[in-house]
Amino acid sequence: MIRVAIANQKGGVGKTTTAINVATALAATDWRTLLIDLDPQGNASTGIGIPAADRHRSAYDLLIDQVPLSECTQRTRITNLDIVPATVDLSGAEVELVSVEHRTDRLRQAFDQPSPIDARYDVCIIDCPPSLGLLTLNALSAADTLLVPLQCEFFALEGLSQLLKTVEQVQQRFNPELGIIGVALTMYDRRNRLTDQVAEDVRSCLGELVFQTVIPRNVRLSEAPSHGLPALIYDHQCAGSRAYIALARELIGRLPQRRKAA
Ligand SMILES: Nc1ncnc2c1ncn2[C@@H]1O[C@H](COP(=O)(O)OP(=O)(O)OP(=O)(O)O)[C@@H](O)[C@H]1O
Ligand SMILES: [Mg+2]
């Protein structure tokens, strides 16, 4: 199972929208996909159609009570896509983790436990909260690679350098294998000259690391979560959905060949 964390400490840059729609696109391409919602806001869980009352086990149980991963997953209404949902108590986890040993390793330990989980999924997408706190550190320590959604706005690159510094620290201290699979430009507005300029700057600074696909600002993407559906299912023809399908295709091209279950 390949583990992809979706992180950026900046809020509202499209992490969750990317997590939901890339996970859905992968599932539609026959990748058996697990989405882990590691954000106490629970936006990925809501957006995929799991109301709070239906979240049987959550990322909190996984990290704090060390309930086996295989017992924390639940089905979504999307074929090939399961989720470990988040509940509000996950906000307490950030505090509770401070006092436990190996506090940045909890998620990795959950993956490492002998369980059938590796054979059940080809890929795991981890949606992170907007901070570089312990939840995100757990995700980065457990992930094989990181996908960074970057909003085309003025301070985008500044935030990114802080994130890259954190990645370096995680590589040095916890997870030398952590890679960066790519940076996805989000909320691109063709009519706004500033977004154009930012996109150009980001590309000249990061080169190939930036995915060719750009996610446009698209109202359908923001409507979909209130229906508990990925945009890809809510309106698979809209510009946002088409962009996410293209992004997922690019991502697949960059991922190592998936390991099929024996
Ligand atoms: N390409 C887009 N076009 C229009 N609206 C978008 C787009 N991407 C995301 N949004 C909307 O912008 C808001 C923030 O997006 P999202 O929740 O994906 O960001 P986030 O980085 O996960 O936020 P947070 O940091 O709070 O977790 C949401 O209301 C979402 O529906
Ligand atoms: Mg989010």
Side-chain angles (χ1 to χ4, degrees), residues 4-238:
V4 184
I6 305 215
N8 185 334
Q9 76 280 12
K10 234 175 132 20
V13 297
K15 291 180 290 295
T16 301
T17 307
T18 301
I20 289 176
N21 288 294
V22 164
T24 303
L26 288 168
T29 322
D30 252 8
W31 288 59
R32 296 164 308 165
T33 306
L34 177 64
L35 175 62
I36 299 186
D37 188 350
L38 219 57
D39 184 351
Q41 298 179 99
N43 296 147
S45 311
T46 310
I48 215 101
I50 315 276
D54 293 348
R55 296 174 199 169
H56 311 301
R57 297 277 193 169
S58 71
Y60 179 91
D61 301 306
L62 186 70
L63 294 179
I64 299 298
D65 296 331
Q66 298 185 292
V67 175
L69 183 54
S70 54
E71 291 174 29
C72 294
T73 62
Q74 62 187 82
R75 311 286 293 267
T76 70
R77 44 185 141 159
I78 297 141
T79 313
N80 282 330
L81 180 57
D82 289 0
I83 188 169
V84 176
T87 50
V88 282
D89 44 6
L90 193 57
S91 56
E94 191 101 42
V95 181
E96 288 170 60
L97 280 173
V98 171
S99 56
V100 308
E101 237 184 300
H102 304 296
R103 55 182 177 259
T104 57
D105 269 346
R106 284 297 180 108
L107 186 60
R108 190 175 31 190
Q109 284 166 2
F111 282 116
D112 286 349
Q113 267 176 24
S115 87
I117 206 83
D118 234 17
R120 268 175 39 198
Y121 302 103
D122 300 309
V123 62
C124 173
I125 304 285
I126 308 165
D127 184 29
C128 293
S131 83
L132 294 173
L134 281 172
L135 290 170
T136 298
L137 286 178
N138 264 274
L140 295 179
S141 300
D144 297 304
T145 194
L146 166 67
L147 189 160
V148 184
L150 198 73
Q151 190 178 344
C152 299
E153 53 157 26
F154 185 59
F155 289 117
L157 273 172
E158 250 169 69
L160 187 66
S161 64
Q162 198 185 342
L163 178 60
L164 296 181
K165 234 178 270 165
T166 304
V167 168
E168 228 168 79
Q169 284 165 359
V170 170
Q171 285 165 335
Q172 281 162 9
R173 295 175 55 194
F174 312 117
N175 183 6
E177 305 297 324
L178 176 65
I180 302 180
I181 197 96
V183 171
L185 296 173
T186 61
M187 303 193 209
Y188 182 81
D189 183 355
R190 180 156 54 81
R191 289 159 305 181
N192 179 336
R193 226 183 301 146
L194 177 63
T195 44
D196 237 359
Q197 187 58 52
V198 172
E200 222 174 273
D201 288 353
V202 173
R203 284 195 192 282
S204 69
C205 183
L206 300 175
E208 302 263 288
L209 199 56
V210 186
F211 288 105
Q212 283 303 315
T213 308
V214 167
I215 309 300
R217 194 172 273 287
N218 178 234
V219 71
R220 305 298 268 171
L221 289 178
S222 56
E223 286 169 4
S226 65
H227 299 269
L229 288 172
L232 247 61
I233 291 176
Y234 176 64
D235 179 355
H236 77 279
Q237 297 277 29
C238 72

